[in-house]
Amino acid sequence: LKEPDELEYYYGCDLSPRMIELAKKENYSNTNNIEFEEIAFESIVQKDNNNKFDTIVFNGSLQFFANPFETIRIAKEKLGGSTIVLSHVNGASFVRKERNENPATVLSFMPTKEELQLWSKDLGMELVVFEDDFYLAVLKTTATTS
């Protein structure tokens, strides 16, 4: 990862005003190349612009989407994500428990390694990192599809 002053542009979004405030406080939001916005992922996709991103990170958020595969597909196809990072600090088992206890809010589970391998092929990507304890998955566009 790069330091904020090394980035061409960084854009972060979240539904929570508290998280946006924290991100601004912790991440040098006074520089011109970093922006944080309180907005839903779906709204970014629907914006009428040509914004494309090199890397898209779903940190502790993928489980709030009803269809994780579709969300990843949209991130790649509509937003240009050549690298997509999925993470959850508490891991997949925590998300499973959270989903079972609160299915109205937690809409899905974290994808398994096997699911991500299948999805990656369908998307012209490759699963290059997978850790289940601290859930971390990194998908990269394969050379033939970039």
Side-chain angles (χ1 to χ4, degrees), residues 115-139:
E115 287 172 320
L116 288 172
Q117 288 170 328
L118 289 172
W119 297 354
S120 295
K121 286 182 184 178
D122 290 345
L123 296 171
M125 301 184 88
E126 179 182 359
L127 178 64
V128 295
V129 173
F130 185 83
E131 295 290 333
D132 198 29
D133 295 333
F134 167 95
Y135 188 92
L136 177 64
V138 179
L139 293 83

Side-chain angles (χ1 to χ4, degrees), residues 43-92:
S43 297
I44 297 168
V45 172
Q46 293 171 359
K47 279 185 174 182
D48 187 24
N49 61 40
N50 291 322
N51 284 342
K52 300 292 180 193
F53 302 90
D54 296 326
T55 302
I56 298 171
V57 179
F58 292 94
N59 185 25
S61 61
L62 191 66
Q63 73 272 21
F64 299 114
F65 293 91
N67 186 336
F69 171 75
E70 184 65 9
T71 302
I72 295 167
R73 185 193 65 76
I74 289 169
K76 180 184 185 280
E77 294 179 4
K78 303 282 187 190
L79 299 179
S82 58
T83 300
I84 297 175
V85 179
L86 314 172
S87 64
H88 197 292
V89 69
N90 295 315

Side-chain angles (χ1 to χ4, degrees), residues 86-128:
L86 314 172
S87 64
H88 197 292
V89 69
N90 295 315
S93 60
F94 174 85
V95 174
R96 280 191 295 277
K97 182 177 182 243
E98 193 178 43
R99 166 88 170 113
N100 291 333
E101 292 173 358
N102 196 357
T105 302
V106 182
L107 304 177
S108 63
F109 300 104
M110 299 304 289
T112 65
K113 182 177 184 178
E114 293 75 20
E115 287 172 320
L116 288 172
Q117 288 170 328
L118 289 172
W119 297 354
S120 295
K121 286 182 184 178
D122 290 345
L123 296 171
M125 301 184 88
E126 179 182 359
L127 178 64
V128 295

Side-chain angles (χ1 to χ4, degrees), residues 2-52:
K2 295 181 179 180
E3 292 296 319
D5 59 347
E6 298 175 317
L7 296 172
E8 183 177 329
Y9 179 71
Y10 179 93
Y11 175 81
C13 68
D14 200 295
L15 290 174
S16 166
R18 181 176 161 271
M19 294 308 292
I20 293 297
E21 181 181 319
L22 181 62
K24 286 178 177 180
K25 180 180 175 185
E26 298 292 326
N27 290 290
Y28 311 93
S29 66
N30 59 339
T31 64
N32 293 333
N33 63 335
I34 298 176
E35 177 185 357
F36 295 101
E37 185 175 14
E38 182 183 334
I39 189 171
F41 174 76
E42 297 85 355
S43 297
I44 297 168
V45 172
Q46 293 171 359
K47 279 185 174 182
D48 187 24
N49 61 40
N50 291 322
N51 284 342
K52 300 292 180 193

